[in-house]
Amino acid sequence: MHHTLPSDFISVRETNFSQAEEYLQLCAGNQQDGAVVSFVGLVRDFNQHSQVQGLTLEHYPAMTEKSLREIVAEVRHLWSVGRVRLIHRVGSLQAGEQIVFVGVTSQHRGQAFQACEFIMDQLKTRAPFWKKERDNTGEHWVQAKQQDQQKAQHWYHQKHPHHIR
């Protein structure tokens, strides 16, 4: 028996999340999907030759939510996925804290893995978050790296060779 899957869950917030709870939400009542892929990103303590103590993520709520919904809609257009859960934290975070959760279900693991990686690649380059890192010399705004831009673009050439974003 097929149940209707709930709509996508997208949350931008300061509070932390439980990976176990998010996994349970992806699985609850979901008997048609055989794959659950999730990714958790942490604030790392090293970036571009400096020791990072923490970072502050700022955003414009309406713009951010619209951007995240567009990324998830694109995932649904490119792959056959069941549920998508996306949590991105904002505010002041310390090294080692969780910053992002992406969870995707699908009938087959390949689709779920690709969709999850696509979301992360797009988050790093398209989502309107402004990141300021703190280290022993002060605070510095961080730009998306060229390699992140290239990784985000490769999906369009891979899925649709003639599609240029």
Side-chain angles (χ1 to χ4, degrees):
M1 180 172 155
H2 288 286
H3 296 87
T4 303
L5 291 174
S7 61
D8 301 322
F9 179 82
I10 298 172
S11 175
V12 178
R13 64 194 196 203
E14 290 189 18
T15 56
N16 203 0
F17 55 85
S18 161
Q19 184 177 8
E21 184 58 37
E22 297 309 319
Y23 171 80
L24 291 174
Q25 291 294 325
L26 285 163
C27 296
N30 183 356
Q31 297 176 356
Q32 58 267 43
D33 289 333
V36 178
V37 172
S38 64
F39 172 84
V40 173
L42 306 175
V43 177
R44 62 177 174 232
D45 70 355
F46 187 82
N47 189 26
Q48 299 181 0
H49 315 298
S50 70
Q51 198 70 29
V52 176
Q53 297 159 349
L55 59 84
T56 301
L57 273 162
E58 297 179 4
H59 75 119
Y60 179 65
M63 184 190 305
T64 304
E65 183 163 325
K66 180 177 186 283
S67 175
L68 299 185
R69 291 204 177 285
E70 286 171 357
I71 291 168
V72 171
E74 215 165 323
V75 161
R76 293 197 168 283
H77 177 73
L78 295 170
W79 292 280
S80 176
V81 298
R83 294 181 177 166
V84 178
R85 291 185 76 79
L86 169 54
I87 299 170
H88 207 299
R89 294 181 65 199
V90 292
S92 182
L93 300 167
Q94 302 304 312
E97 283 193 78
Q98 297 182 129
I99 189 170
V100 65
F101 175 90
V102 176
V104 178
T105 70
S106 184
Q107 291 183 353
H108 306 286
R109 71 179 182 272
Q111 301 261 334
F113 273 112
Q114 289 180 354
C116 190
E117 188 174 10
F118 174 87
I119 291 170
M120 279 310 304
D121 288 344
Q122 300 308 310
L123 281 176
K124 291 193 75 140
T125 58
R126 288 173 50 194
F129 292 106
W130 295 278
K131 184 170 27 171
K132 190 191 303 182
E133 289 181 342
R134 293 186 300 281
D135 63 24
N136 54 5
T137 65
E139 295 184 327
H140 315 279
W141 290 105
V142 180
Q143 302 295 319
K145 297 181 193 118
Q146 183 62 33
Q147 66 198 40
D148 291 335
Q149 300 283 357
Q150 291 168 347
K151 183 97 169 73
Q153 285 296 314
H154 102 278
W155 290 103
Y156 296 101
H157 302 297
Q158 180 181 337
K159 293 294 278 186
H160 304 288
H162 304 296
H163 178 85
I164 299 186
R165 184 159 180 61

